[in-house]
Amino acid sequence: SRKKEKKIFQGDNAGPHRDVTFMKYVVDYCERFGWYWEPQGPQMPHINVLDLAIFPKMSRNHCELVRKRGGTKVLQEDEIWKGAQAVWNLMPSCEIARSFVLSYRTAKKIVEVKGDNCFLS
């Protein structure tokens, strides 16, 4: 029989994600499903899947999309949101999966060097 695994919900520890209301929601949500809440260490974008590979790609694609929609004008919040959703919807799942693999390999390297970041240089 397989031992029951407990899921880990990892947060990126960004400023908005430390908001009291948000934290209460996340902790309650995790408790409801029997998950662990585990925020990552601050200032560690090299092991955050979104910061590592997905957000930079989305940023480049979003800038390209904005240029096509009207050049350098400042976009309204709803235009930014629609653009981000369009970019996400166009991103191939293989690129997202590759980001998770890269994050895993980076985290493994951090563990191997006992938390040092000397492997980055």
Side-chain angles (χ1 to χ4, degrees), residues 35-82:
W35 297 355
Y36 288 114
W37 163 244
E38 187 65 42
Q40 76 179 31
Q43 304 303 316
M44 293 189 75
H46 51 285
I47 65 163
N48 179 312
V49 173
L50 298 176
D51 288 342
L52 183 65
I54 295 173
F55 287 161
K57 170 111 176 112
M58 287 184 77
S59 179
R60 285 189 303 275
N61 290 359
H62 188 261
C63 289
E64 184 179 320
L65 186 65
V66 167
R67 282 192 298 274
K68 288 178 182 176
R69 288 188 176 174
T72 58
K73 73 175 185 136
V74 175
L75 298 179
Q76 298 297 314
E77 183 179 342
D78 65 319
E79 293 174 299
I80 294 169
W81 182 246
K82 286 177 187 173

mmCIF file of all heavy atoms in Angstrom, residues 35-82:
data_model
loop_
_atom_site.group_PDB
_atom_site.id
_atom_site.type_symbol
_atom_site.label_atom_id
_atom_site.label_comp_id
_atom_site.label_asym_id
_atom_site.label_seq_id
_atom_site.Cartn_x
_atom_site.Cartn_y
_atom_site.Cartn_z
ATOM 1 N N TRP A 35 -3.216 20.236 3.194
ATOM 2 C CA TRP A 35 -1.958 20.555 2.534
ATOM 3 C C TRP A 35 -1.037 21.311 3.483
ATOM 4 O O TRP A 35 -1.475 21.926 4.448
ATOM 5 C CB TRP A 35 -2.182 21.438 1.313
ATOM 6 C CG TRP A 35 -2.995 20.833 0.214
ATOM 7 C CD1 TRP A 35 -3.480 19.558 0.148
ATOM 8 C CD2 TRP A 35 -3.432 21.478 -0.973
ATOM 9 N NE1 TRP A 35 -4.190 19.378 -1.011
ATOM 10 C CE2 TRP A 35 -4.178 20.548 -1.720
ATOM 11 C CE3 TRP A 35 -3.277 22.748 -1.481
ATOM 12 C CZ2 TRP A 35 -4.752 20.848 -2.937
ATOM 13 C CZ3 TRP A 35 -3.844 23.064 -2.702
ATOM 14 C CH2 TRP A 35 -4.573 22.111 -3.415
ATOM 15 N N TYR A 36 0.245 21.294 3.174
ATOM 16 C CA TYR A 36 1.217 22.137 3.868
ATOM 17 C C TYR A 36 1.325 23.471 3.137
ATOM 18 O O TYR A 36 1.307 23.509 1.911
ATOM 19 C CB TYR A 36 2.615 21.515 3.840
ATOM 20 C CG TYR A 36 2.792 20.317 4.726
ATOM 21 C CD1 TYR A 36 3.041 19.068 4.176
ATOM 22 C CD2 TYR A 36 2.753 20.440 6.110
ATOM 23 C CE1 TYR A 36 3.222 17.960 4.977
ATOM 24 C CE2 TYR A 36 2.929 19.327 6.919
ATOM 25 C CZ TYR A 36 3.166 18.104 6.350
ATOM 26 O OH TYR A 36 3.354 17.017 7.138
ATOM 27 N N TRP A 37 1.471 24.543 3.874
ATOM 28 C CA TRP A 37 1.759 25.869 3.294
ATOM 29 C C TRP A 37 3.235 26.120 3.524
ATOM 30 O O TRP A 37 3.712 26.084 4.650
ATOM 31 C CB TRP A 37 0.906 26.930 3.960
ATOM 32 C CG TRP A 37 1.403 28.334 3.744
ATOM 33 C CD1 TRP A 37 1.847 29.189 4.701
ATOM 34 C CD2 TRP A 37 1.521 29.035 2.503
ATOM 35 N NE1 TRP A 37 2.225 30.377 4.131
ATOM 36 C CE2 TRP A 37 2.041 30.310 2.784
ATOM 37 C CE3 TRP A 37 1.256 28.711 1.174
ATOM 38 C CZ2 TRP A 37 2.280 31.261 1.795
ATOM 39 C CZ3 TRP A 37 1.499 29.657 0.193
ATOM 40 C CH2 TRP A 37 2.002 30.907 0.504
ATOM 41 N N GLU A 38 3.988 26.325 2.468
ATOM 42 C CA GLU A 38 5.430 26.491 2.568
ATOM 43 C C GLU A 38 5.891 27.653 1.707
ATOM 44 O O GLU A 38 6.082 27.510 0.502
ATOM 45 C CB GLU A 38 6.127 25.205 2.111
ATOM 46 C CG GLU A 38 7.611 25.193 2.326
ATOM 47 C CD GLU A 38 7.999 25.227 3.787
ATOM 48 O OE1 GLU A 38 7.358 24.515 4.586
ATOM 49 O OE2 GLU A 38 8.930 25.960 4.139
ATOM 50 N N PRO A 39 6.057 28.851 2.308
ATOM 51 C CA PRO A 39 6.578 29.959 1.507
ATOM 52 C C PRO A 39 8.060 29.738 1.201
ATOM 53 O O PRO A 39 8.786 29.214 2.036
ATOM 54 C CB PRO A 39 6.367 31.187 2.394
ATOM 55 C CG PRO A 39 6.159 30.675 3.767
ATOM 56 C CD PRO A 39 5.735 29.244 3.667
ATOM 57 N N GLN A 40 8.464 30.092 0.014
ATOM 58 C CA GLN A 40 9.887 29.951 -0.325
ATOM 59 C C GLN A 40 10.672 31.057 0.355
ATOM 60 O O GLN A 40 10.105 32.049 0.808
ATOM 61 C CB GLN A 40 10.101 30.014 -1.829
ATOM 62 C CG GLN A 40 10.019 31.409 -2.399
ATOM 63 C CD GLN A 40 10.258 31.421 -3.887
ATOM 64 O OE1 GLN A 40 9.939 30.473 -4.575
ATOM 65 N NE2 GLN A 40 10.789 32.499 -4.394
ATOM 66 N N GLY A 41 11.975 30.883 0.417
ATOM 67 C CA GLY A 41 12.832 31.898 1.007
ATOM 68 C C GLY A 41 12.728 33.196 0.217
ATOM 69 O O GLY A 41 12.586 33.177 -0.999
ATOM 70 N N PRO A 42 12.803 34.335 0.910
ATOM 71 C CA PRO A 42 12.747 35.605 0.202
ATOM 72 C C PRO A 42 13.972 35.786 -0.690
ATOM 73 O O PRO A 42 15.037 35.227 -0.425
ATOM 74 C CB PRO A 42 12.708 36.647 1.319
ATOM 75 C CG PRO A 42 13.231 35.959 2.518
ATOM 76 C CD PRO A 42 12.964 34.496 2.331
ATOM 77 N N GLN A 43 13.806 36.544 -1.738
ATOM 78 C CA GLN A 43 14.894 36.855 -2.666
ATOM 79 C C GLN A 43 15.494 35.604 -3.311
ATOM 80 O O GLN A 43 16.702 35.484 -3.458
ATOM 81 C CB GLN A 43 15.990 37.672 -1.962
ATOM 82 C CG GLN A 43 15.498 38.944 -1.309
ATOM 83 C CD GLN A 43 14.808 39.873 -2.306
ATOM 84 O OE1 GLN A 43 15.272 40.075 -3.403
ATOM 85 N NE2 GLN A 43 13.673 40.424 -1.901
ATOM 86 N N MET A 44 14.642 34.667 -3.667
ATOM 87 C CA MET A 44 15.115 33.446 -4.327
ATOM 88 C C MET A 44 14.378 33.218 -5.643
ATOM 89 O O MET A 44 13.799 32.163 -5.870
ATOM 90 C CB MET A 44 14.959 32.231 -3.413
ATOM 91 C CG MET A 44 15.869 32.279 -2.202
ATOM 92 S SD MET A 44 15.882 30.754 -1.275
ATOM 93 C CE MET A 44 16.870 29.721 -2.327
ATOM 94 N N PRO A 45 14.396 34.191 -6.554
ATOM 95 C CA PRO A 45 13.666 34.017 -7.806
ATOM 96 C C PRO A 45 14.222 32.889 -8.667
ATOM 97 O O PRO A 45 13.528 32.375 -9.535
ATOM 98 C CB PRO A 45 13.825 35.368 -8.500
ATOM 99 C CG PRO A 45 15.057 35.952 -7.919
ATOM 100 C CD PRO A 45 15.098 35.462 -6.492
ATOM 101 N N HIS A 46 15.471 32.465 -8.400
ATOM 102 C CA HIS A 46 16.059 31.398 -9.210
ATOM 103 C C HIS A 46 15.459 30.028 -8.903
ATOM 104 O O HIS A 46 15.760 29.074 -9.607
ATOM 105 C CB HIS A 46 17.588 31.384 -9.063
ATOM 106 C CG HIS A 46 18.082 31.385 -7.659
ATOM 107 N ND1 HIS A 46 18.048 32.514 -6.876
ATOM 108 C CD2 HIS A 46 18.621 30.415 -6.905
ATOM 109 C CE1 HIS A 46 18.552 32.227 -5.697
ATOM 110 N NE2 HIS A 46 18.897 30.962 -5.692
ATOM 111 N N ILE A 47 14.622 29.907 -7.870
ATOM 112 C CA ILE A 47 13.914 28.633 -7.680
ATOM 113 C C ILE A 47 12.406 28.801 -7.775
ATOM 114 O O ILE A 47 11.663 27.877 -7.504
ATOM 115 C CB ILE A 47 14.300 27.921 -6.363
ATOM 116 C CG1 ILE A 47 13.876 28.719 -5.146
ATOM 117 C CG2 ILE A 47 15.749 27.549 -6.334
ATOM 118 C CD1 ILE A 47 13.859 27.891 -3.884
ATOM 119 N N ASN A 48 11.948 29.975 -8.152
ATOM 120 C CA ASN A 48 10.523 30.199 -8.347
ATOM 121 C C ASN A 48 10.226 29.982 -9.831
ATOM 122 O O ASN A 48 10.724 30.709 -10.678
ATOM 123 C CB ASN A 48 10.165 31.630 -7.924
ATOM 124 C CG ASN A 48 8.687 31.913 -8.123
ATOM 125 O OD1 ASN A 48 8.123 31.629 -9.161
ATOM 126 N ND2 ASN A 48 8.075 32.509 -7.120
ATOM 127 N N VAL A 49 9.426 28.990 -10.122
ATOM 128 C CA VAL A 49 9.132 28.629 -11.507
ATOM 129 C C VAL A 49 8.632 29.832 -12.311
ATOM 130 O O VAL A 49 9.069 30.064 -13.432
ATOM 131 C CB VAL A 49 8.087 27.487 -11.564
ATOM 132 C CG1 VAL A 49 7.652 27.219 -12.975
ATOM 133 C CG2 VAL A 49 8.642 26.233 -10.934
ATOM 134 N N LEU A 50 7.736 30.592 -11.718
ATOM 135 C CA LEU A 50 7.175 31.725 -12.451
ATOM 136 C C LEU A 50 8.230 32.796 -12.713
ATOM 137 O O LEU A 50 8.342 33.309 -13.821
ATOM 138 C CB LEU A 50 5.985 32.304 -11.691
ATOM 139 C CG LEU A 50 4.808 31.347 -11.495
ATOM 140 C CD1 LEU A 50 3.734 31.989 -10.639
ATOM 141 C CD2 LEU A 50 4.244 30.889 -12.820
ATOM 142 N N ASP A 51 9.017 33.152 -11.675
ATOM 143 C CA ASP A 51 10.057 34.176 -11.844
ATOM 144 C C ASP A 51 11.191 33.702 -12.737
ATOM 145 O O ASP A 51 11.802 34.484 -13.446
ATOM 146 C CB ASP A 51 10.649 34.574 -10.489
ATOM 147 C CG ASP A 51 9.699 35.394 -9.641
ATOM 148 O OD1 ASP A 51 8.732 35.940 -10.205
ATOM 149 O OD2 ASP A 51 9.927 35.490 -8.427
ATOM 150 N N LEU A 52 11.490 32.432 -12.678
ATOM 151 C CA LEU A 52 12.631 31.866 -13.394
ATOM 152 C C LEU A 52 12.449 31.873 -14.903
ATOM 153 O O LEU A 52 13.349 32.264 -15.642
ATOM 154 C CB LEU A 52 12.867 30.432 -12.912
ATOM 155 C CG LEU A 52 14.042 29.667 -13.481
ATOM 156 C CD1 LEU A 52 15.356 30.325 -13.061
ATOM 157 C CD2 LEU A 52 14.015 28.225 -12.996
ATOM 158 N N ALA A 53 11.291 31.484 -15.370
ATOM 159 C CA ALA A 53 11.142 31.300 -16.813
ATOM 160 C C ALA A 53 9.823 31.799 -17.391
ATOM 161 O O ALA A 53 9.788 32.280 -18.510
ATOM 162 C CB ALA A 53 11.325 29.831 -17.157
ATOM 163 N N ILE A 54 8.751 31.683 -16.644
ATOM 164 C CA ILE A 54 7.446 31.992 -17.222
ATOM 165 C C ILE A 54 7.206 33.497 -17.297
ATOM 166 O O ILE A 54 6.832 34.016 -18.351
ATOM 167 C CB ILE A 54 6.326 31.269 -16.451
ATOM 168 C CG1 ILE A 54 6.505 29.753 -16.644
ATOM 169 C CG2 ILE A 54 4.958 31.711 -16.934
ATOM 170 C CD1 ILE A 54 5.599 28.892 -15.829
ATOM 171 N N PHE A 55 7.427 34.238 -16.191
ATOM 172 C CA PHE A 55 7.192 35.684 -16.226
ATOM 173 C C PHE A 55 8.074 36.405 -17.236
ATOM 174 O O PHE A 55 7.584 37.282 -17.955
ATOM 175 C CB PHE A 55 7.346 36.300 -14.841
ATOM 176 C CG PHE A 55 6.204 35.988 -13.893
ATOM 177 C CD1 PHE A 55 6.380 36.132 -12.533
ATOM 178 C CD2 PHE A 55 4.966 35.563 -14.352
ATOM 179 C CE1 PHE A 55 5.344 35.850 -11.649
ATOM 180 C CE2 PHE A 55 3.929 35.274 -13.480
ATOM 181 C CZ PHE A 55 4.126 35.428 -12.116
ATOM 182 N N PRO A 56 9.377 36.076 -17.339
ATOM 183 C CA PRO A 56 10.180 36.757 -18.366
ATOM 184 C C PRO A 56 9.635 36.533 -19.780
ATOM 185 O O PRO A 56 9.582 37.455 -20.591
ATOM 186 C CB PRO A 56 11.567 36.150 -18.206
ATOM 187 C CG PRO A 56 11.619 35.705 -16.794
ATOM 188 C CD PRO A 56 10.218 35.244 -16.483
ATOM 189 N N LYS A 57 9.218 35.309 -20.071
ATOM 190 C CA LYS A 57 8.654 35.011 -21.385
ATOM 191 C C LYS A 57 7.352 35.774 -21.586
ATOM 192 O O LYS A 57 7.114 36.361 -22.639
ATOM 193 C CB LYS A 57 8.415 33.508 -21.516
ATOM 194 C CG LYS A 57 7.623 33.102 -22.732
ATOM 195 C CD LYS A 57 8.444 32.366 -23.704
ATOM 196 C CE LYS A 57 7.619 31.875 -24.864
ATOM 197 N NZ LYS A 57 7.936 32.533 -26.087
ATOM 198 N N MET A 58 6.513 35.790 -20.549
ATOM 199 C CA MET A 58 5.253 36.517 -20.652
ATOM 200 C C MET A 58 5.512 38.008 -20.841
ATOM 201 O O MET A 58 4.819 38.667 -21.617
ATOM 202 C CB MET A 58 4.381 36.283 -19.414
ATOM 203 C CG MET A 58 3.758 34.905 -19.361
ATOM 204 S SD MET A 58 2.644 34.718 -17.952
ATOM 205 C CE MET A 58 1.214 35.623 -18.541
ATOM 206 N N SER A 59 6.518 38.542 -20.157
ATOM 207 C CA SER A 59 6.837 39.962 -20.265
ATOM 208 C C SER A 59 7.251 40.328 -21.690
ATOM 209 O O SER A 59 6.769 41.312 -22.255
ATOM 210 C CB SER A 59 7.948 40.322 -19.285
ATOM 211 O OG SER A 59 8.272 41.679 -19.400
ATOM 212 N N ARG A 60 8.137 39.516 -22.267
ATOM 213 C CA ARG A 60 8.559 39.771 -23.654
ATOM 214 C C ARG A 60 7.373 39.704 -24.609
ATOM 215 O O ARG A 60 7.183 40.574 -25.460
ATOM 216 C CB ARG A 60 9.634 38.765 -24.074
ATOM 217 C CG ARG A 60 10.992 39.027 -23.487
ATOM 218 C CD ARG A 60 12.053 38.139 -24.100
ATOM 219 N NE ARG A 60 11.774 36.714 -23.982
ATOM 220 C CZ ARG A 60 12.077 35.971 -22.920
ATOM 221 N NH1 ARG A 60 12.666 36.506 -21.872
ATOM 222 N NH2 ARG A 60 11.797 34.693 -22.904
ATOM 223 N N ASN A 61 6.562 38.672 -24.460
ATOM 224 C CA ASN A 61 5.412 38.502 -25.347
ATOM 225 C C ASN A 61 4.367 39.589 -25.122
ATOM 226 O O ASN A 61 3.722 40.038 -26.063
ATOM 227 C CB ASN A 61 4.788 37.122 -25.165
ATOM 228 C CG ASN A 61 5.680 36.023 -25.696
ATOM 229 O OD1 ASN A 61 6.758 36.277 -26.225
ATOM 230 N ND2 ASN A 61 5.252 34.798 -25.525
ATOM 231 N N HIS A 62 4.194 40.018 -23.872
ATOM 232 C CA HIS A 62 3.226 41.054 -23.569
ATOM 233 C C HIS A 62 3.658 42.380 -24.202
ATOM 234 O O HIS A 62 2.842 43.090 -24.781
ATOM 235 C CB HIS A 62 3.058 41.209 -22.056
ATOM 236 C CG HIS A 62 1.935 42.118 -21.679
ATOM 237 N ND1 HIS A 62 2.129 43.418 -21.340
ATOM 238 C CD2 HIS A 62 0.597 41.882 -21.604
ATOM 239 C CE1 HIS A 62 0.952 43.970 -21.063
ATOM 240 N NE2 HIS A 62 0.014 43.070 -21.213
ATOM 241 N N CYS A 63 4.957 42.690 -24.099
ATOM 242 C CA CYS A 63 5.463 43.925 -24.723
ATOM 243 C C CYS A 63 5.225 43.907 -26.233
ATOM 244 O O CYS A 63 4.829 44.917 -26.820
ATOM 245 C CB CYS A 63 6.952 44.103 -24.427
ATOM 246 S SG CYS A 63 7.276 44.536 -22.721
ATOM 247 N N GLU A 64 5.455 42.764 -26.839
ATOM 248 C CA GLU A 64 5.223 42.625 -28.283
ATOM 249 C C GLU A 64 3.742 42.829 -28.608
ATOM 250 O O GLU A 64 3.386 43.540 -29.557
ATOM 251 C CB GLU A 64 5.682 41.244 -28.733
ATOM 252 C CG GLU A 64 5.579 41.005 -30.215
ATOM 253 C CD GLU A 64 6.066 39.611 -30.590
ATOM 254 O OE1 GLU A 64 7.076 39.151 -30.026
ATOM 255 O OE2 GLU A 64 5.411 39.002 -31.441
ATOM 256 N N LEU A 65 2.880 42.238 -27.800
ATOM 257 C CA LEU A 65 1.443 42.363 -27.997
ATOM 258 C C LEU A 65 1.002 43.830 -27.838
ATOM 259 O O LEU A 65 0.203 44.332 -28.622
ATOM 260 C CB LEU A 65 0.708 41.475 -26.991
ATOM 261 C CG LEU A 65 -0.795 41.359 -27.114
ATOM 262 C CD1 LEU A 65 -1.179 40.675 -28.428
ATOM 263 C CD2 LEU A 65 -1.364 40.585 -25.946
ATOM 264 N N VAL A 66 1.548 44.515 -26.836
ATOM 265 C CA VAL A 66 1.202 45.920 -26.606
ATOM 266 C C VAL A 66 1.609 46.775 -27.799
ATOM 267 O O VAL A 66 0.847 47.642 -28.246
ATOM 268 C CB VAL A 66 1.862 46.430 -25.305
ATOM 269 C CG1 VAL A 66 1.786 47.949 -25.190
ATOM 270 C CG2 VAL A 66 1.216 45.785 -24.094
ATOM 271 N N ARG A 67 2.804 46.535 -28.320
ATOM 272 C CA ARG A 67 3.259 47.296 -29.493
ATOM 273 C C ARG A 67 2.306 47.102 -30.670
ATOM 274 O O ARG A 67 1.969 48.040 -31.378
ATOM 275 C CB ARG A 67 4.684 46.893 -29.882
ATOM 276 C CG ARG A 67 5.744 47.514 -29.011
ATOM 277 C CD ARG A 67 7.127 47.329 -29.601
ATOM 278 N NE ARG A 67 7.521 45.933 -29.725
ATOM 279 C CZ ARG A 67 8.095 45.218 -28.753
ATOM 280 N NH1 ARG A 67 8.333 45.764 -27.584
ATOM 281 N NH2 ARG A 67 8.428 43.971 -28.954
ATOM 282 N N LYS A 68 1.838 45.881 -30.853
ATOM 283 C CA LYS A 68 0.906 45.599 -31.953
ATOM 284 C C LYS A 68 -0.450 46.271 -31.741
ATOM 285 O O LYS A 68 -1.127 46.605 -32.701
ATOM 286 C CB LYS A 68 0.699 44.086 -32.092
ATOM 287 C CG LYS A 68 1.892 43.370 -32.657
ATOM 288 C CD LYS A 68 1.629 41.876 -32.732
ATOM 289 C CE LYS A 68 2.826 41.125 -33.259
ATOM 290 N NZ LYS A 68 2.622 39.672 -33.256
ATOM 291 N N ARG A 69 -0.829 46.473 -30.474
ATOM 292 C CA ARG A 69 -2.148 47.050 -30.167
ATOM 293 C C ARG A 69 -2.150 48.565 -30.089
ATOM 294 O O ARG A 69 -3.173 49.155 -29.830
ATOM 295 C CB ARG A 69 -2.664 46.490 -28.854
ATOM 296 C CG ARG A 69 -3.088 45.055 -28.955
ATOM 297 C CD ARG A 69 -3.754 44.616 -27.690
ATOM 298 N NE ARG A 69 -4.237 43.255 -27.828
ATOM 299 C CZ ARG A 69 -4.763 42.563 -26.850
ATOM 300 N NH1 ARG A 69 -4.882 43.083 -25.659
ATOM 301 N NH2 ARG A 69 -5.174 41.330 -27.064
ATOM 302 N N GLY A 70 -1.024 49.198 -30.229
ATOM 303 C CA GLY A 70 -1.094 50.655 -30.158
ATOM 304 C C GLY A 70 0.194 51.336 -29.783
ATOM 305 O O GLY A 70 0.183 52.493 -29.399
ATOM 306 N N GLY A 71 1.273 50.644 -29.838
ATOM 307 C CA GLY A 71 2.549 51.302 -29.599
ATOM 308 C C GLY A 71 2.891 51.461 -28.137
ATOM 309 O O GLY A 71 2.722 50.545 -27.350
ATOM 310 N N THR A 72 3.334 52.657 -27.795
ATOM 311 C CA THR A 72 3.913 52.876 -26.474
ATOM 312 C C THR A 72 2.963 53.554 -25.489
ATOM 313 O O THR A 72 3.396 54.028 -24.457
ATOM 314 C CB THR A 72 5.183 53.734 -26.611
ATOM 315 O OG1 THR A 72 4.820 54.965 -27.246
ATOM 316 C CG2 THR A 72 6.244 53.020 -27.403
ATOM 317 N N LYS A 73 1.686 53.609 -25.781
ATOM 318 C CA LYS A 73 0.746 54.250 -24.849
ATOM 319 C C LYS A 73 0.640 53.436 -23.555
ATOM 320 O O LYS A 73 0.897 52.233 -23.539
ATOM 321 C CB LYS A 73 -0.623 54.423 -25.483
ATOM 322 C CG LYS A 73 -1.404 53.123 -25.636
ATOM 323 C CD LYS A 73 -2.805 53.384 -26.169
ATOM 324 C CE LYS A 73 -3.544 52.066 -26.182
ATOM 325 N NZ LYS A 73 -4.874 52.147 -25.692
ATOM 326 N N VAL A 74 0.281 54.113 -22.484
ATOM 327 C CA VAL A 74 0.088 53.445 -21.202
ATOM 328 C C VAL A 74 -1.263 52.722 -21.245
ATOM 329 O O VAL A 74 -2.284 53.322 -21.587
ATOM 330 C CB VAL A 74 0.112 54.464 -20.042
ATOM 331 C CG1 VAL A 74 -0.199 53.784 -18.721
ATOM 332 C CG2 VAL A 74 1.445 55.178 -19.995
ATOM 333 N N LEU A 75 -1.236 51.448 -20.915
ATOM 334 C CA LEU A 75 -2.469 50.658 -20.968
ATOM 335 C C LEU A 75 -3.251 50.763 -19.670
ATOM 336 O O LEU A 75 -2.678 50.925 -18.599
ATOM 337 C CB LEU A 75 -2.131 49.186 -21.227
ATOM 338 C CG LEU A 75 -1.434 48.857 -22.533
ATOM 339 C CD1 LEU A 75 -1.145 47.372 -22.611
ATOM 340 C CD2 LEU A 75 -2.271 49.291 -23.723
ATOM 341 N N GLN A 76 -4.556 50.628 -19.790
ATOM 342 C CA GLN A 76 -5.427 50.569 -18.622
ATOM 343 C C GLN A 76 -5.308 49.174 -18.011
ATOM 344 O O GLN A 76 -4.902 48.213 -18.667
ATOM 345 C CB GLN A 76 -6.880 50.838 -19.030
ATOM 346 C CG GLN A 76 -7.099 52.209 -19.623
ATOM 347 C CD GLN A 76 -6.795 53.308 -18.620
ATOM 348 O OE1 GLN A 76 -7.212 53.244 -17.475
ATOM 349 N NE2 GLN A 76 -6.063 54.324 -19.068
ATOM 350 N N GLU A 77 -5.707 49.047 -16.744
ATOM 351 C CA GLU A 77 -5.579 47.787 -16.021
ATOM 352 C C GLU A 77 -6.250 46.628 -16.759
ATOM 353 O O GLU A 77 -5.681 45.539 -16.874
ATOM 354 C CB GLU A 77 -6.180 47.928 -14.626
ATOM 355 C CG GLU A 77 -6.021 46.695 -13.774
ATOM 356 C CD GLU A 77 -6.601 46.850 -12.383
ATOM 357 O OE1 GLU A 77 -6.827 48.008 -11.938
ATOM 358 O OE2 GLU A 77 -6.839 45.830 -11.744
ATOM 359 N N ASP A 78 -7.455 46.853 -17.287
ATOM 360 C CA ASP A 78 -8.155 45.764 -17.974
ATOM 361 C C ASP A 78 -7.427 45.354 -19.257
ATOM 362 O O ASP A 78 -7.420 44.180 -19.629
ATOM 363 C CB ASP A 78 -9.614 46.123 -18.258
ATOM 364 C CG ASP A 78 -9.772 47.281 -19.225
ATOM 365 O OD1 ASP A 78 -9.006 48.257 -19.125
ATOM 366 O OD2 ASP A 78 -10.678 47.217 -20.080
ATOM 367 N N GLU A 79 -6.768 46.302 -19.922
ATOM 368 C CA GLU A 79 -5.997 45.971 -21.129
ATOM 369 C C GLU A 79 -4.759 45.141 -20.770
ATOM 370 O O GLU A 79 -4.409 44.202 -21.478
ATOM 371 C CB GLU A 79 -5.553 47.249 -21.851
ATOM 372 C CG GLU A 79 -6.690 48.058 -22.437
ATOM 373 C CD GLU A 79 -6.204 49.375 -22.998
ATOM 374 O OE1 GLU A 79 -5.658 50.193 -22.226
ATOM 375 O OE2 GLU A 79 -6.369 49.574 -24.225
ATOM 376 N N ILE A 80 -4.126 45.499 -19.673
ATOM 377 C CA ILE A 80 -2.955 44.735 -19.213
ATOM 378 C C ILE A 80 -3.376 43.315 -18.878
ATOM 379 O O ILE A 80 -2.722 42.346 -19.269
ATOM 380 C CB ILE A 80 -2.306 45.416 -17.986
ATOM 381 C CG1 ILE A 80 -1.726 46.777 -18.386
ATOM 382 C CG2 ILE A 80 -1.229 44.523 -17.374
ATOM 383 C CD1 ILE A 80 -1.296 47.631 -17.210
ATOM 384 N N TRP A 81 -4.483 43.183 -18.146
ATOM 385 C CA TRP A 81 -4.970 41.862 -17.744
ATOM 386 C C TRP A 81 -5.326 41.016 -18.967
ATOM 387 O O TRP A 81 -4.944 39.856 -19.052
ATOM 388 C CB TRP A 81 -6.178 42.025 -16.830
ATOM 389 C CG TRP A 81 -6.728 40.726 -16.334
ATOM 390 C CD1 TRP A 81 -7.944 40.198 -16.628
ATOM 391 C CD2 TRP A 81 -6.079 39.782 -15.483
ATOM 392 N NE1 TRP A 81 -8.101 38.982 -16.018
ATOM 393 C CE2 TRP A 81 -6.969 38.706 -15.297
ATOM 394 C CE3 TRP A 81 -4.841 39.735 -14.860
ATOM 395 C CZ2 TRP A 81 -6.649 37.598 -14.519
ATOM 396 C CZ3 TRP A 81 -4.526 38.625 -14.077
ATOM 397 C CH2 TRP A 81 -5.431 37.582 -13.919
ATOM 398 N N LYS A 82 -6.039 41.608 -19.916
ATOM 399 C CA LYS A 82 -6.403 40.870 -21.139
ATOM 400 C C LYS A 82 -5.164 40.456 -21.911
ATOM 401 O O LYS A 82 -5.097 39.344 -22.446
ATOM 402 C CB LYS A 82 -7.317 41.724 -22.032
ATOM 403 C CG LYS A 82 -8.727 41.857 -21.506
ATOM 404 C CD LYS A 82 -9.546 42.776 -22.393
ATOM 405 C CE LYS A 82 -10.894 43.054 -21.779
ATOM 406 N NZ LYS A 82 -11.650 44.053 -22.524
#
